[in-house]
Amino acid sequence: MIRPTCFLLALSAIVSQTSAREPSAVEQPLARKGRPNIVFIMTDDQAPWAVGVAGAPNVKTPTLDKLFKSGAYLRNSFTPTPVCSPSRASLMTSRYGSELGITDWINPGREPELGLDPATVTFPELLQEAGYATGLVGKWHLGLPDQFHPTKTGFDYFMGFRGGGNKPKDPTLEKDGKEQKFEGFTPDILTDHALGFLERQTSEKPFFLAVHFRAPHAAWLPVAEEDWDPFKDLDPEIPNPEYPKLDTDRVKRVTREYLASVASVDRNVGRLMEKLGQPGLVENTVVIFTSDHGYNMGHNGIWHKANGHWILTDPPAGTANVPRGQRPNMYDNSLRLPTAIAWPAVIPAGVEITDTVSMLDWYPTLLELAGVPLPKEQTIRGRSLVALLRHRAGPAGAEPFEWDNEFYGEYSTHHQSETHMRAWRTPQWKLIRDFKNEGRDELYDLVNDPAETNNLIASDDAAARRAIAELHGKIVKRMQEVGDPILEDPEVRARLEL
């Protein structure tokens, strides 16, 4: 167990490195102190509200709260597809899942040969070619066959699991190319091996380490006793207890279990931060924390992510493509990610950024951090965040900085349900079209209804009608730009008015 004093000292080292930097550090070139080490921590199914700094009740994440406050908290961070595999594919390639043939979570039983095309150039490959030592510890979920193995996609070292699921305790994991049974809690085991990777690094070359926790993906229990104790007797506050037919008892039970799993992540991030706070690492290491997508826990009457499930005592009737009990969605709680970046050389403590950023943006961002040029013949959908981070971390009164805060999301479900959801989000409006199912379109006024409780798709309000027309046009244009394969479907083309 990490000692609180040790963690505070480690985090204080990060903050002190930031506060003691030269006043003009935000203008210094990235290579000023050499290429930075990069640690990219990604959890699985962690909601945007599931960090204490977000303000939700009952969440206990002291380590993450300190990390989020030590650098920049990106409050409007989104994934283009809010489910495991396509989100991870977007991270690795800066492409939409529809461009990669990965539009839903990869189901090994139904799709044993599906994976991320090895011909696609990933950012770890480019870091590796530029001299970085690269490692991935944890979840992959971008193909089981050897041709899709992480070591063939830019990672020198892999320890974890190639598929999507695993057990929270005593998991079977791959190490040194062989699957073997490990004893203990999965977050602890993965952290042990992430720490081992860090201990093997030398000052001769920079490193990139991706730590992809399985938690807080269900099943949430068992967890270590210290993670369960704060929640086992908790009567948690839930987001909308008056939702019609909400199964309140079940919501409270799964909330307790989920928050305990989040606490297990928090404790293990503390172990990583203690190591990264040591001399020789703290001075030149960028730490990024995010999740692959968000999560709902009784919000809007559902639990799970974008392939959501009703958590009601009497769910609505099903349809031909959406069975009873299912609620495919593009709610913000599914799309939005808890995201922070600690970059001591540039970002002071306590920066909050409300600009819209995306999982697509990490590819160009990490390459710019490392001083690696973008591949000339590779399509890159995201934008580097470096200039945005520098500007928002700069002195008050700096020159205005233009940033496009609109966002496009897509999700074609084909396991629990069948949908073709496409969404366009602005700071004011969100339009969701389901091109496979009539009657499932949605429009939300995010300013006046941030919880997305009032669907305005049938509203006669003039502003709503204008928003529908404008955002529909943007959805169609983006689908055409990315070559969305559903455009070949005559029924979809008819609904798109093409």
Side-chain angles (χ1 to χ4, degrees):
M1 175 181 174
I2 181 171
R3 298 185 301 276
T5 301
C6 292
F7 173 74
L8 290 171
L9 289 173
L11 198 59
S12 296
I14 291 177
V15 176
S16 66
Q17 285 290 329
T18 300
S19 59
R21 68 186 183 1
E22 301 172 24
S24 60
V26 293
E27 306 300 331
Q28 296 288 347
L30 294 178
R32 174 175 172 265
K33 293 185 178 180
R35 294 177 295 172
N37 304 311
I38 303 168
V39 176
F40 193 96
I41 304 169
M42 185 164 71
T43 56
D44 192 345
D45 285 16
Q46 188 160 355
W49 48 265
V51 287
V53 291
N58 308 128
V59 181
K60 299 182 187 302
T61 55
T63 301
L64 292 177
D65 295 350
K66 292 183 178 71
L67 175 59
F68 274 56
K69 293 175 182 178
S70 72
Y73 178 7
L74 284 74
R75 285 190 172 271
N76 282 308
S77 173
F78 296 88
T79 180
T81 304
V83 74
C84 298
S85 299
S87 179
R88 293 163 190 270
S90 291
L91 168 66
M92 289 291 148
T93 67
S94 195
R95 307 282 297 279
Y96 292 98
S98 61
E99 299 180 272
L100 304 166
I102 303 174
T103 60
D104 204 344
W105 62 277
I106 296 175
N107 184 330
R110 297 175 58 183
E111 305 160 316
E113 300 303 317
L114 181 60
L116 180 62
D117 186 348
T120 306
V121 179
T122 67
F123 77 81
E125 289 180 72
L126 297 170
L127 292 177
Q128 186 183 54
E129 292 173 3
Y132 270 73
T134 58
L136 167 62
V137 175
K139 178 172 174 174
W140 178 234
H141 208 181
L142 289 174
L144 289 181
D146 289 344
Q147 71 191 83
F148 305 124
H149 195 274
T151 57
K152 296 183 179 179
T153 317
F155 292 101
D156 302 317
Y157 172 79
F158 172 67
M159 186 277 173
F161 55 105
R162 303 189 208 180
N166 217 311
K167 299 191 299 181
K169 186 179 181 183
D170 300 337
T172 298
L173 302 169
E174 179 182 328
K175 180 172 172 56
D176 300 326
K178 298 179 181 179
E179 287 194 344
Q180 50 192 289
K181 185 74 172 287
F182 287 80
E183 293 185 358
F185 296 103
T186 303
D188 298 25
I189 295 166
L190 296 178
T191 303
D192 290 343
H193 289 271
L195 292 171
F197 176 90
L198 293 174
E199 289 165 0
R200 291 190 296 274
Q201 303 312 304
T202 68
S203 59
E204 296 176 1
K205 59 193 306 187
F207 63 81
F208 169 77
L209 172 62
V211 184
H212 292 183
F213 286 105
R214 175 197 172 276
H217 192 293
W220 302 296
L221 301 183
V223 295
E225 184 175 350
E226 62 193 292
D227 302 324
W228 179 233
D229 279 346
F231 305 102
K232 62 182 180 181
D233 299 318
L234 177 71
D235 182 16
E237 295 182 49
I238 59 178
N240 50 356
E242 303 305 318
Y243 193 92
K245 301 179 181 179
L246 187 72
D247 190 342
T248 303
D249 289 342
R250 187 181 174 205
V251 172
K252 290 188 175 185
R253 175 178 60 80
V254 296
T255 296
R256 285 191 290 270
E257 296 177 2
Y258 180 79
L259 293 178
S261 186
V262 170
S264 75
V265 170
D266 186 78
R267 177 172 55 80
N268 279 288
V269 171
R271 297 173 63 204
L272 290 170
M273 295 306 298
E274 181 178 10
K275 179 67 176 178
L276 294 172
Q278 294 179 0
L281 286 176
V282 66
E283 299 89 350
N284 197 33
T285 299
V286 176
V287 180
I288 296 160
F289 179 92
T290 192
S291 182
D292 55 352
H293 46 72
Y295 211 74
N296 303 270
M297 193 60 77
H299 304 80
N300 297 99
I302 65 174
W303 72 281
H304 214 53
K305 45 221 173 201
N307 51 354
H309 311 289
W310 290 111
I311 190 163
L312 308 177
T313 56
D314 184 20
T319 66
N321 293 324
V322 181
R324 186 172 188 265
Q326 302 297 309
R327 179 48 169 105
N329 69 90
M330 296 288 271
Y331 289 128
D332 270 9
N333 275 322
S334 297
L335 288 164
R336 186 181 265 125
L337 316 172
T339 302
I341 176 169
W343 185 7
V346 170
I347 304 174
V351 173
E352 291 197 6
I353 295 176
T354 58
D355 303 86
T356 297
V357 303
S358 163
M359 187 71 84
L360 297 165
D361 298 331
W362 289 117
Y363 187 119
T365 300
L366 296 176
L367 292 185
E368 184 171 354
L369 284 173
V372 178
L374 292 174
K376 294 182 180 179
E377 298 182 358
Q378 182 80 1
T379 299
I380 304 296
R381 299 294 181 190
R383 305 167 289 178
S384 174
L385 303 179
V386 170
L388 175 69
L389 292 167
R390 286 183 180 278
H391 186 273
R392 298 297 185 247
E399 291 296 319
F401 184 81
E402 296 295 328
W403 188 262
D404 184 355
N405 284 305
E406 300 194 4
F407 168 80
Y408 173 71
E410 56 170 38
Y411 188 13
S412 288
T413 65
H414 58 258
H415 295 312
Q416 295 100 322
S417 61
E418 294 185 13
T419 66
H420 287 317
M421 295 181 289
R422 302 294 184 266
W424 197 277
R425 187 189 191 282
T426 73
Q428 166 93 42
W429 299 100
K430 185 201 288 182
L431 175 66
I432 304 152
R433 303 288 318 268
D434 183 347
F435 293 113
K436 193 172 182 67
N437 297 283
E438 292 280 356
R440 291 199 70 251
D441 292 351
E442 299 166 83
L443 177 73
Y444 295 107
D445 179 348
L446 300 175
V447 172
N448 296 302
D449 180 26
E452 299 171 281
T453 61
N454 185 21
N455 182 6
L456 300 175
I457 197 68
S459 172
D460 293 329
D461 178 74
R465 305 318 299 172
R466 286 194 300 271
I468 291 170
E470 179 183 354
L471 302 190
H472 172 80
K474 293 184 176 185
I475 288 174
V476 174
K477 182 178 179 182
R478 183 59 55 86
M479 292 172 71
Q480 293 171 328
E481 289 171 351
V482 304
D484 194 323
I486 72 169
L487 290 174
E488 302 302 316
D489 186 328
E491 293 184 6
V492 172
R493 293 181 64 84
R495 293 200 66 200
L496 284 167
E497 302 173 2
L498 295 178

